[in-house]
Amino acid sequence: MKTTTNIITLKDGRKIDCITLCNANGMEVEVLAWGGIIKSIKVPDRKGLVENILLEYKDVETYLTNPGYVNALIGRTAGRIHKGKFTIGNKDYKVNINERTHTLHGGNEGFDKKIWNARNVSDDGACAVELSYYSPDKEEGYPGNIEAKVTYALRDDNSLTLEYEAVSDQDT
């Protein structure tokens, strides 16, 4: 098992990590630090031919807009918030609207549009990468500071697991 990181330089000069997890069976998973996007899952068939089994854009720049949220982490919310308004306790909140009159998957710049920090957390059982992102209070209008982490782990039994964790200092 091995984990490698390549740096992708975008047209605007920003740099993002592309992490590749490889197991002993020839399976490979590519994860972009941009939006936590799983770029590809390549597996060998019974004849040993390796194929990507995941929907993938041909140009990595397309992931910057990613209108369909293809293979990306979403947040702070999943789904729609009616008219971008909600109440927690006795307090009303208004978040950014990005789909007609509603908020979809976190707003204009949800977790899918953020550059996450990547850290290799591989061990004897899996090649793995942990992506982390700090979302400050009022980002996109949401209350509370959030520390979010997602771990992608590929094992030699060809299993891929994603483990999500998020902690906030306020109700959100």
Side-chain angles (χ1 to χ4, degrees):
M1 292 184 292
K2 71 177 181 174
T3 303
T4 57
T5 301
N6 292 313
I7 306 298
I8 297 173
T9 302
L10 303 172
K11 290 177 185 172
D12 65 8
R14 287 183 289 176
K15 297 181 184 310
I16 58 169
D17 292 338
C18 178
I19 303 97
T20 304
L21 309 174
C22 303
N23 72 8
N25 301 318
M27 184 173 172
E28 293 184 2
V29 177
E30 287 183 299
V31 179
L32 297 176
W34 175 267
I37 293 166
I38 300 177
K39 186 176 175 293
S40 67
I41 299 176
K42 298 173 184 170
V43 294
D45 65 16
R46 68 182 126 212
K47 295 179 182 176
L49 181 65
V50 177
E51 295 283 341
N52 180 18
I53 60 168
L54 198 61
L55 180 63
E56 176 183 17
Y57 292 124
K58 290 182 181 183
D59 178 6
V60 75
E61 295 281 333
T62 306
Y63 289 108
L64 298 182
T65 56
N66 200 0
Y69 300 89
V70 173
N71 312 328
L73 297 175
I74 55 172
R76 284 190 183 194
T77 57
R80 289 170 182 81
I81 297 176
H82 182 68
K83 296 185 180 180
K85 297 178 184 178
F86 62 92
T87 303
I88 297 176
N90 294 325
K91 188 162 182 181
D92 295 329
Y93 293 92
K94 175 98 173 84
V95 292
N96 293 335
I97 290 173
N98 64 324
E99 187 197 48
R100 294 184 294 276
T101 60
H102 307 295
T103 301
L104 179 63
H105 298 329
N108 295 321
E109 290 192 23
F111 288 176
D112 62 298
K113 303 280 190 291
K114 302 297 181 184
I115 296 177
W116 293 61
N117 296 311
R119 181 171 71 101
N120 186 336
V121 292
S122 299
D123 59 26
D124 291 339
C127 51
V129 64
E130 175 189 271
L131 297 184
S132 60
Y133 176 70
Y134 175 80
S135 178
D137 183 40
K138 302 299 185 274
E139 182 173 57
E140 291 292 309
Y142 293 92
N145 297 298
I146 289 186
E147 292 182 31
K149 294 180 186 176
V150 180
T151 303
Y152 304 73
L154 177 63
R155 292 175 177 73
D156 281 339
D157 66 359
N158 288 350
S159 64
L160 173 66
T161 58
L162 278 70
E163 187 174 302
Y164 296 77
E165 178 184 336
V167 177
S168 180
D169 60 359
Q170 296 180 44
D171 289 340
T172 190

